[in-house]
Amino acid sequence: MQARATVYIVDDDDSVRRALSRLLMAHGYPVTTFDSAQAFLDEADFEAGPACVILDLLMPAMDGLALQHGLPRRMPVIFLSGHGDVARVVQAMQAGAIEFLEKPVSDTQLLAAVEKGCACAAEHFALERELQTLRQKLQRLTPREREVLTWVVTGIRNKQVASELGTVEKTIKVHRAHVMQKLEVDSLPALVRIADRMGLCVSRRDDDARQRAG
């Protein structure tokens, strides 16, 4: 079973940090607290695992909105503040906050927001890990193999790829086999999914292929 996402609490009020920590830890959430935005940026390990953050809006030196802009987009942000005017709420939500709660907040509201934030955090973290793994696999390819990959995933035949690259079909088959081995897949649809996930430029070539076929 995957561990729960960590909840970071950033608030300059010690009593708020203690109260939130007790509530969340009582419901099984790992919690780490910080008394300032700068302490959070200096000490938190954003790569350690999935995490969401509860931010106070008004804090000395760096406020919650400024801190929000310095965080990875994949980290869900929940604002908890006693100073939530409409303009600030809109600004926070436009920047990607998932909730803006006003103090005092009910346990039910807070826990619902944290559950939502942690679920988003786990999803984003898993996606980033998957993309990182795919990037590492793509780095195994030689420049020629990567070029063959971008042509193969258009669906055109090996013979046509060979013609485009100025070589013979047998060579393309060898490159294609190496590509599939290095990317650890066993079918063309799997190659297409990887190319799509990594944003490889295949759409234009696919259009070209259809034009040639027509």
Side-chain angles (χ1 to χ4, degrees), residues 41-213:
L41 291 175
D42 290 342
E43 299 171 24
D45 183 358
F46 298 153
E47 303 303 321
C52 70
V53 56
I54 300 175
L55 291 184
D56 187 18
L57 182 61
L58 299 183
M59 294 182 288
M62 182 188 299
D63 66 16
L65 289 174
L67 174 56
Q68 180 187 21
H69 288 294
L71 297 178
R73 291 287 295 181
R74 60 176 166 77
M75 181 174 288
V77 173
I78 301 165
F79 276 101
L80 179 61
S81 177
H83 309 278
D85 60 79
V86 173
R88 289 179 181 272
V89 173
V90 170
Q91 190 176 352
M93 300 305 286
Q94 287 180 338
I98 63 170
E99 292 286 354
F100 198 113
L101 305 175
E102 291 191 43
K103 298 175 181 176
V105 63
S106 71
D107 291 357
T108 301
Q109 277 185 301
L110 182 66
L111 289 169
V114 168
E115 182 178 0
K116 177 181 176 182
C118 287
C120 290
E123 181 179 349
H124 293 167
F125 191 79
L127 177 60
E128 180 59 32
R129 280 291 178 88
E130 181 184 355
L131 292 176
Q132 183 180 9
T133 299
L134 290 178
R135 284 192 291 267
Q136 291 171 346
K137 289 180 179 179
L138 283 173
Q139 288 174 358
R140 303 171 184 172
L141 303 182
T142 66
R144 190 59 159 178
E145 288 168 350
R146 190 181 181 99
E147 191 174 17
V148 168
L149 168 64
T150 61
W151 280 101
V152 165
V153 294
T154 66
I156 66 175
R157 297 176 180 178
N158 291 334
K159 185 176 181 179
Q160 292 174 285
V161 177
S163 176
E164 294 289 348
L165 299 182
T167 185
V168 297
E169 183 178 0
K170 182 178 180 181
T171 299
I172 296 302
K173 288 182 177 179
V174 171
H175 284 314
R176 180 170 176 165
H178 288 166
V179 167
M180 298 183 74
Q181 181 182 29
K182 290 179 179 181
L183 296 184
E184 300 175 19
V185 297
D186 57 6
S187 68
L188 178 59
L191 283 181
V192 172
R193 284 193 294 272
I194 289 178
D196 183 59
R197 294 297 302 279
M198 300 308 295
L200 298 179
C201 298
V202 298
S203 59
R204 179 179 61 82
R205 287 177 172 176
D206 192 41
D207 290 340
D208 293 343
R210 284 196 293 267
Q211 291 171 9
R212 286 193 299 273

